[in-house]
Structure formats: C-alpha cells, structure tokens
Amino acid sequence: MRHLPDTLTQALLADLPDSHVLVLPRMPASDADPLTAVWQAARDDAASAYEAWRHGAPTEAFAVYRAAADREDAAAAALAMRARMRRPRWYRLLGGDRRA
C-alpha cells in the first residue's frame, strides 16, 4: 500500500528545527542496537496506546495511538533502510535498485 504525503503534518512541522535526539522510556542494554531499541519502544508505545483507545479512553486517545503508530512505522522504515544499505552492492543491483 502506497502512503500519501501527510501535508498537514509537514506544514505544522516545517518551521521546527530537527534536534536529531531520540528519547527512549528506558536505557537499552549496552550491547543492544540503538535503532532496534527505538523501534521496540515505538512498538510498545503504539500497542499501549491502541489498548487504551480500544478500552474506551477519551476521544483524543485515537490521535495518541495514530501518532505512536506513525513513530513505529518510521522506526521500522529506518531499520529496513539500514538493512538494505548493508547488503552488498551486487545484491542490491540484482533487485533492480539502480541507485546502488
């Protein structure tokens, strides 16, 4: 399924500087991959927000859930991109990626 650009979010966030800071609910293990820890935290947040919304939380709970789900999607996309970039160039070319 192709995602359409979220122009409202882009318009609201366009003037905000990107801090490049990730805030996690707990410290990942010293040998843990930080990107995987970010995805796991986002996944846990999305699951908790979904359960709260499903069990009759206030109307804004749906917006909280959607924001958490979007963070999870973004983290999963970052993991997928990193995995793709770690593949050897010849492997990416086999898949038809001419940008490799």
Side-chain angles (χ1 to χ4, degrees):
M1 181 164 117
R2 187 172 161 251
H3 289 281
L4 298 175
D6 184 353
T7 55
L8 177 59
T9 300
Q10 290 171 352
L12 292 172
L13 300 176
D15 294 332
L16 293 177
D18 191 351
S19 65
H20 300 284
V21 173
L22 298 173
V23 179
L24 299 174
R26 60 194 159 280
M27 182 69 122
S30 61
D31 61 340
D33 173 40
L35 190 53
T36 301
V38 167
W39 169 74
Q40 289 171 334
R43 179 198 59 197
D44 294 347
D45 286 347
S48 296
Y50 177 75
E51 288 302 318
W53 171 64
R54 234 182 102 226
H55 293 298
T59 307
E60 64 270 2
F62 180 74
V64 171
Y65 158 65
R66 284 304 314 146
D70 287 346
R71 288 190 304 274
E72 180 184 6
D73 290 346
L79 277 170
M81 176 64 74
R82 184 181 66 186
R84 186 177 83 58
M85 296 311 294
R86 285 185 173 176
R87 291 181 180 157
R89 185 174 188 275
W90 64 265
Y91 188 87
R92 293 191 308 261
L93 288 172
L94 281 177
D97 187 352
R98 298 293 175 215
R99 296 172 286 145

